């Protein structure tokens, strides 16, 4: 049985790049999340929300720094974006 994937800082950055964000290599998870939420519009919010749902609900193990960055930066920004659209 294969081990669950491990999402470290580099893998997290690759996930963000896959949804159209240009996050440079060697960017910390906290910095990557800060960059991801700059200029957050409805389309990007949907894409990021979907990504966060996949990461948190999936079988992957998140590096503690990645989990903290998601919790402290992405989730609050996505909640604020959802409130603005209602």
């Amino acid at each position: 049985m294969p081990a669950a994937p491990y999402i470290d800082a580099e893998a997290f950055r690759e996930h963000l790049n896959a949804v159209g964000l240009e996050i440079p290599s060697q960017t910390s998870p906290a910095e990557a999340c800060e960059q991801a939420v700059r200029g957050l519009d409805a389309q990007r919010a949907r894409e990021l929300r979907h990504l966060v749902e996949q990461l948190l609900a999936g079988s992957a193990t998140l590096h503690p720094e990645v989990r903290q960055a998601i919790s402290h930066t992405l989730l609050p920004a996505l909640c604020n974006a959802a409130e603005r659209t209602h």
Side-chain angles (χ1 to χ4, degrees):
M1 185 165 144
Y6 185 71
I7 307 295
D8 61 6
E10 185 62 22
F12 181 57
R13 186 189 66 76
E14 290 172 3
H15 277 81
L16 292 171
N17 286 339
V19 296
L21 298 167
E22 293 184 27
I23 308 297
S25 60
Q26 305 303 317
T27 302
S28 75
E31 293 168 334
C33 287
E34 289 169 7
Q35 290 178 24
V37 300
R38 281 190 199 123
L40 192 62
D41 60 19
Q43 177 65 29
R44 182 180 289 173
R46 278 190 297 279
E47 292 166 354
L48 286 173
R49 190 174 298 111
H50 182 68
L51 173 62
V52 169
E53 289 170 354
Q54 285 180 322
L55 292 175
L56 295 179
S59 62
T61 300
L62 299 177
H63 185 281
E65 190 178 2
V66 171
R67 184 174 291 281
Q68 182 177 5
I70 290 171
S71 296
H72 291 168
T73 305
L74 276 184
L75 291 177
L78 293 172
C79 287
N80 288 338
E83 289 174 3
R84 285 192 306 264
T85 60
H86 289 110

